[in-house]
Amino acid sequence: MKRPRLLDLVKPEVLSLTAYRAEEPRPGLIKLDANESPFPLPEELRRELRRALDQVDVHRYPDAKADRLRSVLAAQLRMSPESLVLGNGSDELIQLLLLATSGPGATVLAPVPTFSMYELITRAHGLRFEGVPLGPRFEPDLPTLIETIERLRPEIIFLATPNNPTGGVFSEAEICKILAVAPGLVVVDEAYGPYAGRTMLPHLVDQERLVILRSLSKIGLAGLRIGYLVAHPALAAEIEKVRLPFNLNSFSQTAAIVLLNHHEWIDANIGEVVRERERVMDCLVALAGVEAFPSAANFILFRTTRSGGDLFETLLQRGVLVRNVGSVPGLQDCLRVTVGTKAENNQFMEALTKALKQD
Ligand SMILES: Cc1ncc(COP(=O)(O)O)c(C=O)c1O
């Protein structure tokens, strides 16, 4: 009997994808490529964490629904625990949302350029992804967006606000206009929301199509892999059905409970990054040969008049790793730099200034 070749066993939709690429950590480099928080845990929090992790029973499965962590998060958000679904990073929640809601033929829409996982996960599910271009400076183009929504009637719309990698935001009024015409769900991804000081959470009471995605990754806890989704409890209950039990391991759950009780540490770091963002932005704006785009996140996107790829390599040689996003359609010669500590930002700005003078 003739059997298919190995790769014929893989879905064509998957064969056509390019895997998500994360940089390998390289010692000695200033790491400004992944939108992480630059602040390590202070020693007293490390000690408290060690004590808590010491109590973890590794021979037992974790709390299957992460009920303790869910209650801590729900209390901080002033939401009912039933409105929350917890994921192994918010990436996993994007996958669960599509799994629970979007059948064959469904369309997923997002303003582009945006976070690449929306398209990757959509296409891996065999669904149609429709990107609607943002404006020339990556500002929302509401008329085009609304016209496309009315024409294609997507099952899901993803709105990252602030958007990655551009840094721009959708205003509350713009999101409400989109909610008013959307036939399906509107997923507002607030992974960087804390850096913008805004949230759509209060709208959940009267907008049952609204789903909010949040992440602990960008506010100092990337290593834990914890994200959460907030939605109408009836929808959250359906998404729960496709979540694999025990998706959050015991160490992550325990660590998150300890560290979320120190919100003052998280909030102070967010404040410091926001101040530094403005300082880095002022420097970028003043540099000839650089166009920086407005950002409400913990990173800044900028375009250079020289080759973005060359500039990326020059910065790397000077010990600074940023993200080269130049291969994304619409982002030719663009780099994205994460806001780091004051010292890291100084080194980045010095390296960039020298690199631009080098020509
Ligand atoms: C807009 C946006 N949403 C979600 C994520 C996923 O975050 P995580 O899976 O770490 O929670 C990212 C990560 O870069 C992002 O930029």
Side-chain angles (χ1 to χ4, degrees):
M1 190 181 64
K2 190 162 182 306
R3 296 192 298 174
R5 287 177 312 170
L6 181 63
L7 290 188
D8 289 343
L9 298 171
V10 178
K11 293 194 286 185
E13 294 89 341
V14 174
L15 286 173
S16 70
L17 294 175
T18 308
Y20 183 88
R21 212 180 114 254
E23 286 289 334
E24 290 295 318
R26 289 188 244 174
L29 274 187
I30 297 178
K31 193 173 182 310
L32 302 178
D33 67 319
N35 301 343
E36 297 146 323
S37 164
F39 302 109
L41 279 186
E43 187 45 41
E44 77 249 36
L45 285 193
R46 276 179 198 268
R47 247 181 278 134
E48 190 179 336
L49 192 57
R50 274 197 293 274
R51 276 197 300 274
L53 295 178
D54 199 35
Q55 307 297 314
V56 170
D57 280 327
V58 279
H59 65 299
R60 300 288 182 207
Y61 278 108
D63 172 350
K65 288 177 64 189
D67 277 329
R68 272 190 64 213
L69 173 57
R70 180 199 306 267
S71 307
V72 170
L73 282 167
Q76 292 187 351
L77 300 169
R78 297 200 178 83
M79 302 294 300
S80 78
E82 292 72 38
S83 354
L84 265 68
V85 183
L86 272 59
N88 199 288
S90 50
D91 279 348
E92 187 187 36
L93 296 166
I94 298 170
Q95 197 169 34
L96 295 185
L97 252 171
L98 291 189
L99 198 58
T101 61
S102 305
T107 297
V108 173
L109 183 145
V112 289
T114 192
F115 182 44
S116 60
M117 294 305 285
Y118 305 144
E119 178 168 1
L120 191 142
I121 297 173
T122 301
R123 287 178 43 203
H125 279 79
L127 309 176
R128 169 179 178 192
F129 180 84
E130 194 66 32
V132 181
L134 290 161
R137 288 202 23 101
F138 308 119
E139 69 286 2
D141 176 356
L142 216 58
T144 310
L145 199 52
I146 286 182
E147 182 276 313
T148 318
I149 293 168
E150 285 173 338
R151 186 162 43 83
L152 298 180
R153 305 192 54 76
E155 275 71 10
I156 300 196
I157 300 168
F158 282 103
L159 298 176
T161 181
N163 184 41
N164 176 18
T166 60
V169 287
F170 283 86
S171 70
E172 225 170 291
E174 285 166 331
I175 298 173
C176 287
K177 281 186 190 151
I178 294 167
L179 276 161
V181 294
L185 298 177
V186 177
V187 183
V188 176
D189 185 339
E190 297 186 349
Y192 304 97
Y195 293 100
R198 49 170 95 197
T199 177
M200 285 297 285
L201 277 171
H203 290 268
L204 280 168
V205 228
D206 52 12
Q207 297 278 7
E208 58 177 26
R209 291 167 188 283
L210 175 64
V211 175
I212 295 179
L213 273 183
R214 290 281 195 92
S215 173
L216 302 191
S217 301
K218 312 299 175 185
I219 56 169
L221 307 177
L224 302 185
R225 300 301 299 132
I226 295 178
Y228 56 94
L229 167 161
V230 199
H232 189 287
L235 179 64
E238 296 306 314
I239 299 168
E240 270 293 316
K241 292 180 184 170
V242 292
R243 184 184 61 79
L244 295 178
F246 316 116
N247 60 334
L248 294 195
N249 72 70
S250 308
F251 289 109
S252 288
Q253 291 190 38
T254 305
I257 291 166
V258 169
L259 298 173
L260 285 172
N261 275 324
H262 288 281
H263 234 286
E264 72 295 342
W265 171 72
I266 296 175
D267 292 343
N269 288 342
I270 292 171
E272 174 63 11
V273 166
V274 169
R275 281 188 293 278
E276 279 295 297
R277 177 185 73 208
E278 299 316 313
R279 199 169 70 86
V280 177
M281 181 61 94
D282 288 347
C283 164
L284 290 174
V285 167
L287 276 178
V290 166
E291 183 187 12
F293 299 99
S295 172
N298 64 339
F299 56 83
I300 299 174
L301 181 78
F302 61 98
R303 175 170 276 140
T304 76
T305 45
R306 59 182 269 183
S307 148
D310 287 353
L311 185 57
F312 172 81
E313 290 301 332
T314 313
L315 289 173
L316 200 56
Q317 280 157 18
R318 292 179 183 275
V320 182
L321 176 67
V322 298
R323 183 83 162 200
N324 182 1
V325 290
S327 62
V328 176
L331 296 185
Q332 205 193 352
D333 295 321
C334 285
L335 301 179
R336 188 195 69 192
V337 61
T338 303
V339 179
T341 61
K342 200 181 234 354
E344 289 171 337
N345 300 331
N346 286 344
Q347 274 174 274
F348 159 69
M349 294 187 290
E350 196 189 317
L352 180 64
T353 311
K354 284 192 177 145
L356 291 169
K357 281 201 185 123
Q358 207 168 288
D359 289 341

